[in-house]
Amino acid sequence: LAVTVTCEDLDFPPGFQFGAASAAYQVEGAWNVSDKSENIWDRLVRDKPELIADRSTGDVACDSYHLWRRDVEMTADLGLHFYRISIAWTRLLPNGFANKISEDGLNYYNNVIDGLLEKGIQPMVTLYHWDLPQSLQDLGGWTNPLIVNWFGNYARIAFSLFGDRVKTWITINEPLIMCDVPYNTGSMAPAIVNPDVGAHLCAKNVLMAHAKAWRIYDKEFRPKYHGELSLANHLIWYEPFTPEDEEITETAREYMAGRYSHPIYSKEGGWPPVIEKIMAENSKAKGYSESNLPAFTKEEIEFVRGTFDFYAVNHYTSRLIRRAKEGEEFGAFPLSDVPDVGAKYEINPDWKPTTSSWFFVYPEGLRNQIVWLREQYGDMKFIVTENGYARLKGLDDTDRIEYYTEYLKQVLRAIKEDGVNITGYTTWSLMDNFEWGDGYNSRFGLYEVDFTSPERTRTPKASAEFYKKLIQRHSLNVD
Ligand code: PNW
């Protein structure tokens, strides 16, 4: 029996905001223009071209460095409330350190920010979307605790240059994909395979660096600029494969989402206790003399705890979790199994695959994930800072429209039935772009980009028309 929904049910609450996102390395191009220096992705695509499916690079990408006016025009055509961009650290600070600000880099970001504001679109700015200065990587990058200060100094400069106009900041994008993927699988920059130690050093330093930036903003900038900051977490939702897998699934959630949430959002702070315990046991069993999960001191726990103004959710996909059988081998976390907690994953055959190997469609995952976060950490404001759909090129992307419709229905249910305070939603992505290891094969854009034309022509897809209407009506009831 079909359930009838009234138009009312499909309306978004007043004030709910719609945006779209992109990231510097994926769209800007101009990798060596002016005094911009090399970052770890510039290095990776040259050193290890075999890691990119089509052996492409972000050297030119969408050429947004030169075509930013067109990007702004697109955001205005869609009627976006906000556009989420990221700053390329090496474009603003060519040395990586705070001792030199690039004039051209500064002009570029001023142009984009002012261009958006002229059209009434709020810029949402991410400080770090994975393009670490190679100069800092050479000093250990995210495994060196000094990066907490390096990042803090970069953040302070960005706040002082743009904070008068940028009111929503994301400090760091997806610790899960920037720490666990590179150090467990070597498939993303800096591609250093060191699953026992590297991934966890990165995790702790990322949390500390985020907290440093939040505290700098809170103390030095919030009183005059009144903005909001958070860290964006990539969350793969886990459900039990069988009813007996309930407990291991909850532990796997603590590993996936808890490691990067508990230290910031929980009342007590620090690592999730269950993960701390498992990691201590695993490290001992492997013969290490201390836990591979680096401890937080009491001061550090207090330093990180509470450093948020909202929870930023990046969500695409889900997994089914089960306990590994005796002697069963594990794939690497997070795209495959969760070896540290002894969990294997399965895919529900009903979940449609996409052109990205890690990505299966399960709309309820978004609602379940957010409700879980609220249960763990209490009521707070949530913003979906990324959600989108991967497919091959083509303007007639009705499957993407279906994806957005179904995931947004789950956002509405979380708001209306579960009473979660979700205040905004962001599509990934405004336009097709360099999709990391998938190169230009896997397309996420509302606008198609012709990567064979020097003009990098952008054409709206069917999904762009859909999103525009949705924003106008402030409702999923768009026909
Ligand atoms: C996120 N995975 O990245 C990022 O924030 C974007 O830069 C990216 O384009 C978008 O999602 C779509 O992929 C991910 O392998 C990259 O599981 C890889 C994975 C997940 C997210």
Side-chain angles (χ1 to χ4, degrees):
L1 191 84
V3 182
T4 9
V5 273
T6 63
C7 299
E8 176 95 349
D9 286 330
L10 296 175
D11 293 350
F12 287 87
F16 189 90
Q17 302 226 310
F18 291 98
S22 69
Y25 187 74
Q26 295 177 272
V27 301
E28 283 179 6
W31 77 284
N32 60 357
V33 165
S34 181
D35 49 359
K36 179 183 169 294
S37 69
E38 192 189 23
N39 65 47
I40 57 176
W41 273 90
D42 296 323
R43 175 68 63 94
L44 183 88
V45 297
R46 282 176 177 69
D47 270 10
K48 298 184 173 160
E50 68 281 4
L51 290 179
I52 316 299
D54 54 3
R55 293 193 156 245
S56 63
T57 73
D59 288 3
V60 183
C62 306
D63 201 19
S64 287
Y65 183 73
H66 298 106
L67 300 173
W68 60 269
R69 284 183 189 79
R70 173 67 180 133
D71 295 349
V72 169
E73 185 180 88
M74 282 146 46
T75 63
D77 280 350
L78 290 170
L80 299 184
H81 301 120
F82 64 93
Y83 179 39
R84 178 176 171 223
I85 60 166
S86 82
I87 294 176
W89 191 332
T90 55
R91 196 179 298 289
L92 192 62
L93 304 180
N95 296 335
F97 296 104
N99 62 335
K100 184 188 163 204
I101 297 172
S102 161
E103 209 173 301
D104 285 346
L106 175 59
N107 283 339
Y108 172 66
Y109 293 110
N110 274 334
N111 283 336
V112 177
I113 290 166
D114 292 342
L116 289 169
L117 287 170
E118 268 166 38
K119 304 269 187 194
I121 297 155
Q122 293 298 317
M124 179 193 279
V125 176
T126 304
L127 290 172
Y128 185 75
H129 202 121
W130 310 349
D131 44 359
L132 189 72
Q134 185 61 43
S135 59
L136 302 187
Q137 183 60 50
D138 293 342
L139 299 173
W142 289 102
T143 63
N144 184 341
L146 289 176
I147 198 156
V148 177
N149 285 345
W150 303 336
F151 182 73
N153 295 334
Y154 160 51
R156 179 182 287 107
I157 287 179
F159 298 149
S160 66
L161 295 172
F162 310 117
D164 56 337
R165 289 154 292 155
V166 175
K167 301 300 170 188
T168 309
W169 294 89
I170 301 293
T171 52
I172 293 171
N173 185 65
E174 301 185 353
L176 181 82
I177 311 296
M178 68 176 266
C179 293
D180 296 285
V181 173
Y183 290 97
N184 288 339
T185 73
S187 66
M188 295 179 99
I192 296 169
V193 181
N194 189 332
D196 281 359
V197 180
H200 302 293
L201 287 177
C202 177
K204 182 184 171 188
N205 294 331
V206 160
L207 288 161
M208 292 290 293
H210 154 78
K212 181 86 183 178
W214 189 90
R215 292 194 179 282
I216 287 170
Y217 188 87
D218 197 50
K219 186 155 174 249
E220 302 171 29
F221 299 93
R222 191 191 301 277
K224 53 184 175 201
Y225 294 147
H226 312 289
E228 297 185 308
L229 265 82
S230 197
L231 165 98
N233 266 319
H234 188 97
L235 301 157
I236 300 175
W237 172 244
Y238 289 155
E239 284 190 359
F241 183 54
T242 71
E244 286 88 74
D245 297 311
E246 194 65 65
E247 193 190 327
I248 191 161
T249 301
E250 190 58 21
T251 309
R253 287 175 192 143
E254 290 289 2
Y255 194 86
M256 151 68 54
R259 278 182 308 143
Y260 298 116
S261 303
H262 194 274
I264 300 173
Y265 304 95
S266 72
K267 298 208 169 37
E268 57 281 11
W271 299 116
V274 59
I275 300 304
E276 214 161 28
K277 182 165 165 277
I278 289 175
M279 288 300 296
E281 288 162 9
N282 290 354
S283 309
K284 200 168 169 197
K286 289 181 189 170
Y288 290 99
S289 36
E290 56 188 320
S291 177
N292 290 321
L293 190 69
F296 283 109
T297 64
K298 278 211 178 68
E299 292 71 34
E300 288 172 338
I301 288 175
E302 286 314 304
F303 186 73
V304 176
R305 195 174 66 94
T307 55
F308 67 93
D309 301 304
F310 60 95
Y311 195 112
V313 175
N314 290 6
H315 175 83
Y316 295 82
T317 195
S318 297
R319 299 278 185 270
L320 298 176
I321 292 292
R322 64 170 173 81
R323 194 172 291 286
K325 301 189 186 91
E326 202 50 43
E328 207 173 358
E329 299 220 345
F330 291 103
F333 181 79
L335 303 185
S336 180
D337 303 318
V338 198
D340 275 324
V341 310
K344 296 284 296 176
Y345 87 83
E346 301 280 347
I347 298 298
N348 183 330
D350 296 339
W351 298 353
K352 222 178 77 181
T354 69
T355 51
S356 284
S357 58
W358 51 272
F359 186 177
F360 301 83
V361 177
Y362 177 52
E364 289 83 350
L366 177 54
R367 175 189 179 191
N368 296 343
Q369 179 70 69
I370 296 179
V371 168
W372 183 86
L373 290 168
R374 201 243 333 238
E375 274 167 15
Q376 298 296 306
Y377 310 116
D379 262 324
M380 61 182 140
K381 168 169 152 176
F382 289 87
I383 299 176
V384 177
T385 37
E386 278 184 33
N387 177 237
Y389 179 71
R391 74 193 299 282
L392 294 174
K393 120 189 225 295
L395 298 176
D396 187 17
D397 57 346
T398 44
D399 48 350
R400 176 172 288 116
I401 295 176
E402 198 184 316
Y403 178 96
Y404 280 133
T405 305
E406 292 308 315
Y407 275 69
L408 276 163
K409 275 186 190 161
Q410 298 299 324
V411 170
L412 279 176
R413 294 188 67 181
I415 296 172
K416 297 186 179 190
E417 293 174 34
D418 308 317
V420 184
N421 181 24
I422 307 175
T423 64
Y425 175 88
T426 318
T427 59
W428 182 273
S429 173
L430 177 63
M431 62 194 136
D432 295 339
N433 56 53
F434 178 77
E435 179 49 31
W436 311 110
D438 289 332
Y440 296 100
N441 291 339
S442 212
R443 306 280 186 111
F444 279 84
L446 295 171
Y447 281 74
E448 181 154 288
V449 177
D450 179 358
F451 293 103
T452 63
S453 87
E455 295 80 33
R456 294 297 193 270
T457 313
R458 289 114 154 94
T459 313
K461 303 180 190 179
S463 59
E465 297 305 325
F466 162 81
Y467 200 51
K468 180 178 179 164
K469 241 196 250 175
L470 163 79
I471 296 171
Q472 265 167 12
R473 308 253 169 102
H474 209 67
S475 171
L476 269 173
N477 192 33
V478 289
D479 312 310

